[in-house]
Amino acid sequence: MNNKILIVDDEEDILLVLEHHLVKEGYNVSRAIDGHQALSLLNAQGFDLIILDIMMPDIDGYEVCRRIRRKGIKTPIIFLSAKTAEFDEILGLEIGADDFIRKPFSVKTFRSRVKALLRRKGSSETSPDTIRIRGIEIQRSSYTVFVDGKKVKFPRREFELLAFLAANPNKVFSRNLLLNQVWSDEVYVIDRSVDVHINRIRKKLTPYRDILETVVGIGYRWNTG
């Protein structure tokens, strides 16, 4: 079944361009010209991804996102914005968005971010929301980790790497595969980035750091044995 994507933007030409490229990729696409129309569509049907412009009249993208999350809708959201300040991106992520793309952007970048987010969504839907092993508890929907009952802070990338490995226990994953799963395809990162994040995660999981096993010459495994 093809993924259903909702695009929300008050600029008709942007809607048409994005719709064209997404349809070419095989997605089912719906369009909304403002926040009111978007919320009406979301009340009527479900979507696999929402692409949401921030600067819209009446109800801006931030408020649309807040209302979506207040309804308990967990559909991934990508913000589109001409805003370039780091504050705007942080605000968007804090109120519930999953990604943030600055305008102008290339079609290649846009497509890769969509694919990466849908891939992560598919992975999370086939895995339990809460993962418990030994003294570790990972709550996927709230991005929360407890170690021996104490809440431990994990930045987004560290959490997603941890959650992906924990949701696929005892499977060995190469660094390249982990990069593709956790980092968006267009972001320039190297294998060493995975190693750095793994080391940070291990420090926070002490005394259970050995559960993140290095498989020499290949990659990493969440070892429950």
Side-chain angles (χ1 to χ4, degrees):
M1 182 177 178
N2 293 343
N3 291 114
K4 295 172 62 179
I5 299 177
L6 173 62
I7 312 172
V8 189
D9 200 303
D10 62 326
E11 296 185 48
E12 184 72 21
D13 56 341
I14 291 179
L15 282 175
L16 292 173
V17 169
L18 296 183
E19 180 183 33
H20 170 74
H21 288 290
L22 290 173
V23 169
K24 280 182 64 177
E25 293 291 319
Y27 301 117
N28 292 325
V29 179
S30 296
R31 293 181 288 155
I33 199 69
D34 58 34
H36 291 294
Q37 188 177 11
L39 293 169
S40 295
L41 285 170
L42 286 163
N43 284 332
Q45 59 184 296
F47 292 92
D48 298 297
L49 177 65
I50 302 166
I51 298 167
L52 181 60
D53 185 41
I54 291 179
M55 299 175 68
M56 296 186 295
D58 197 10
I59 305 177
D60 67 16
Y62 290 138
E63 181 58 24
V64 173
C65 181
R66 289 188 186 97
R67 295 188 189 186
I68 289 171
R69 295 304 186 228
R70 281 200 295 265
K71 289 176 178 288
I73 298 172
K74 297 181 180 180
T75 304
I77 295 173
I78 297 177
F79 269 135
L80 303 180
S81 180
K83 293 175 176 285
T84 58
E86 184 181 29
F87 167 80
D88 297 301
E89 181 173 354
I90 292 171
L91 175 60
L93 296 174
E94 286 183 344
I95 64 175
D98 298 88
D99 206 347
F100 191 104
I101 303 178
R102 293 183 176 89
K103 297 177 181 178
F105 50 83
S106 70
V107 172
K108 182 178 179 181
T109 293
F110 174 72
R111 285 199 304 244
S112 67
R113 299 283 271 270
V114 167
K115 288 179 181 178
L117 198 50
L118 287 171
R119 186 168 58 238
R120 291 201 296 268
K121 176 181 182 291
S123 174
S124 66
E125 286 182 344
T126 58
S127 304
D129 181 69
T130 300
I131 301 169
R132 296 183 181 90
I133 181 169
R134 293 158 73 178
I136 303 167
E137 179 176 316
I138 303 166
Q139 297 179 3
R140 296 163 64 91
S141 61
S142 62
Y143 277 58
T144 305
V145 179
F146 294 90
V147 178
D148 288 335
K150 182 179 179 181
K151 186 176 180 179
V152 180
K153 290 185 178 180
F154 280 79
R156 179 183 171 191
R157 295 296 187 198
E158 288 180 19
F159 180 89
E160 290 178 350
L161 181 57
L162 170 67
F164 175 76
L165 288 166
N168 296 277
N170 303 313
K171 297 179 182 178
V172 180
F173 294 98
S174 69
R175 290 171 177 82
N176 281 336
L177 192 148
L178 292 172
L179 285 173
N180 288 333
Q181 282 289 336
V182 177
W183 281 264
S184 298
D185 296 344
E186 90 298 342
V187 177
Y188 179 74
V189 287
I190 58 176
D191 290 358
R192 183 61 181 160
S193 299
V194 176
D195 299 335
V196 170
H197 280 70
I198 289 289
N199 286 335
R200 290 173 180 168
I201 292 169
R202 280 176 172 154
K203 289 179 181 178
K204 295 176 182 180
L205 294 183
T206 302
Y208 309 108
R209 57 181 299 142
D210 60 308
I211 200 169
L212 261 178
E213 178 187 0
T214 300
V215 181
V216 179
I218 303 177
Y220 296 98
R221 168 170 53 200
W222 184 261
N223 190 349
T224 61

